[in-house]
Amino acid sequence: MADILLSGMQPTGETGRLHLGNYEGALKNWVKLQNGGKYDMYCCIVDWHFLTSGYNETEGLKNSVKELAIDYLSAGLDPTKSAIFVQSEVKEHAELHLLFSMITPTSWLERVPSYKEKADELGLDSYGFLGYPLLQAADILVYQANAVPVGKDQLPHIELTREVARRFNYIYGDLFPEPDGLLTPFAVVRGTDGRKMSKSYGNDIKMADSDEDTTAKLKKMFTDPEKLRKGDPGRPEICPVYSLHQIYNANHEEVIEPCKSGKLGCVDCKMNLAENLNKAMMPVRQKRVEIEKDIDKVRSMLKDGADRARAKASQTMSEVRKAMKIDW
Ligand code: TRP
Ligand code: SF4
């Protein structure tokens, strides 16, 4: 039997659209894993997780779920291969979360790094927010997944998932695998201000941005601060524009010497990058345009994905109830 892989992303922000950091750092890898044929894949849009912090800003939620689904599809996730679905359409996640809450000491949740910090930063003290990583454990284990593709920041959540699986197995008998976090082999994508690309920094380029918008954003991008005009020598190794060249320009090494000598100006360098980046994103962006022509199809794809996910999740839950002696 193939291994099972569960991946998830939260629909956030008003548009829900993903940026190049999400694409390069996560989605592209998911597509590769999907096409590698080694896994049965479940790709979840975790709208309940959104509520743990966004409970009072749900006006844009439906739209943002839809946009996220379109980003998934335009990146190459294929509903004939992967079950793509919305978390809240598979209620089994909630049941397993509840049952896990019975066996999980609150101290396990309180000590998850980022919990205290985020709780203070966002002013959150709800029961649901504390349970965020436990809900994530339920997302993963309700499919009895063996693997979860994640960024480094998510490893503590995977560790908690393993601990919960172990504790359940210890109390009620072996039912859950201890899933591995598959770290995405990719460096940080830098945003237009040179920091890590992030929606909350407002420094991002969206997968769905038009060529024109992309070029305009790149024009404003930070460069080597000591290279003020053409003629000044630059340092590609610290320049955020160059870091994007390394991803999108197959001939990026040709930029190094002219930058260092000053022959190349930053404006030309950015235009060269824009051309390469827009070319690389063209298939993804064209696919989005196609998908947007038939939004009803996206809806029915998500329904179908939820049905397939539920088939597996409900099977797990029967076993869980039986193991816990609550199978009436
Ligand atoms: N916490 C994850 C993030 O912020 C989102 C998530 C929720 C998730 N459930 C998941 C990721 C299950 C992987 C598997 O990115
Ligand atoms: Fe950066 Fe290019 Fe300017 Fe060099 S020429 S500093 S690599 S933008």
Side-chain angles (χ1 to χ4, degrees):
M1 234 172 52
D3 278 354
I4 297 176
L5 188 144
L6 181 287
S7 55
M9 267 190 212
Q10 198 174 298
T12 37
E14 306 93 70
T15 73
R17 292 186 172 183
L18 299 179
H19 56 65
L20 297 180
N22 305 127
Y23 178 59
E24 299 296 336
L27 265 189
K28 245 183 165 171
N29 191 42
W30 296 8
V31 172
K32 212 161 87 197
L33 291 163
Q34 166 193 269
N35 295 336
K38 187 167 173 269
Y39 295 105
D40 279 343
M41 259 183 83
Y42 295 89
C43 304
C44 187
I45 296 176
V46 294
D47 56 341
W48 280 334
H49 278 100
F50 169 79
L51 295 179
T52 62
S53 53
Y55 60 88
N56 61 353
E57 35 184 305
T58 54
E59 303 80 38
L61 183 56
K62 280 207 170 117
N63 184 55
S64 125
V65 166
K66 180 194 78 190
E67 293 287 344
L68 186 52
I70 298 174
D71 277 335
Y72 277 10
L73 293 171
S74 56
L77 285 180
D78 176 350
T80 67
K81 297 181 180 159
S82 303
I84 305 169
F85 65 100
V86 183
Q87 182 186 38
S88 65
E89 294 206 84
V90 184
K91 314 293 182 210
E92 283 77 2
H93 293 228
E95 185 183 356
L96 189 57
H97 178 216
L98 175 88
L99 296 177
F100 280 165
S101 78
M102 309 300 171
I103 64 166
T104 306
T106 43
S107 62
W108 288 13
L109 298 171
E110 281 157 355
R111 70 159 194 243
V112 168
S114 81
Y115 165 67
K116 261 234 125 340
E117 199 182 296
K118 277 217 130 175
D120 292 345
E121 180 193 324
L122 304 171
L124 290 165
D125 62 358
S126 72
Y127 179 47
F129 185 70
L130 177 65
Y132 181 113
L134 196 60
L135 180 57
Q136 182 165 350
D139 295 339
I140 296 166
L141 294 174
V142 84
Y143 300 99
Q144 296 177 309
N146 316 90
V148 189
V150 284
K152 253 212 291 276
D153 63 313
Q154 291 295 310
L155 285 180
H157 292 174
I158 304 301
E159 195 44 49
L160 178 83
T161 302
R162 296 168 63 91
E163 278 170 327
V164 171
R166 223 175 293 147
R167 183 157 165 78
F168 185 99
N169 292 345
Y170 173 74
I171 302 173
Y172 304 108
D174 255 354
L175 190 69
F176 294 112
E178 287 183 36
D180 292 317
L182 300 181
L183 274 183
T184 315
F186 199 84
V188 171
V189 177
R190 293 169 74 181
T192 51
D193 61 0
R195 291 186 289 174
K196 178 181 166 157
M197 190 176 284
S198 161
K199 186 174 41 65
S200 45
Y201 293 159
N203 66 357
D204 64 352
I205 297 171
K206 305 287 188 204
M207 288 170 66
D209 277 347
S210 65
D211 288 2
E212 295 71 32
D213 288 347
T214 303
T215 306
K217 286 181 180 179
L218 291 176
K219 270 189 186 157
K220 290 191 210 135
M221 187 157 182
F222 285 31
T223 64
D224 177 354
E226 285 178 17
K227 182 165 163 64
L228 300 175
R229 55 186 66 80
K230 190 170 170 177
D232 293 346
R235 293 168 295 171
E237 66 280 7
I238 62 143
C239 174
V241 172
Y242 184 70
S243 77
L244 291 186
H245 268 283
Q246 287 177 302
I247 303 171
Y248 293 104
N249 177 2
N251 301 317
H252 60 85
E253 272 154 16
E254 290 171 11
V255 171
I256 296 175
E257 199 282 319
C259 165
K260 283 185 170 167
S261 70
K263 246 191 318 217
L264 177 64
C266 293
V267 178
D268 288 342
C269 182
K270 289 171 168 181
M271 295 315 278
N272 175 2
L273 171 63
E275 202 176 301
N276 279 294
L277 195 160
N278 285 330
K279 210 191 304 164
M281 291 306 292
M282 192 166 64
V284 172
R285 289 170 173 171
Q286 278 176 346
K287 195 147 180 204
R288 170 174 260 277
V289 173
E290 284 309 304
I291 295 163
E292 279 174 337
K293 285 183 191 153
D294 193 355
I295 291 300
D296 286 347
K297 207 166 134 194
V298 177
R299 263 278 33 149
S300 66
M301 181 278 293
L302 287 173
K303 286 272 174 231
D304 176 60
D307 289 345
R308 278 159 58 198
R310 200 178 304 110
K312 171 67 185 165
S314 63
Q315 208 182 343
T316 307
M317 287 317 298
S318 311
E319 293 174 39
V320 167
R321 288 183 213 114
K322 203 161 152 214
M324 295 179 77
K325 315 278 186 282
I326 50 167
D327 54 328
W328 305 108

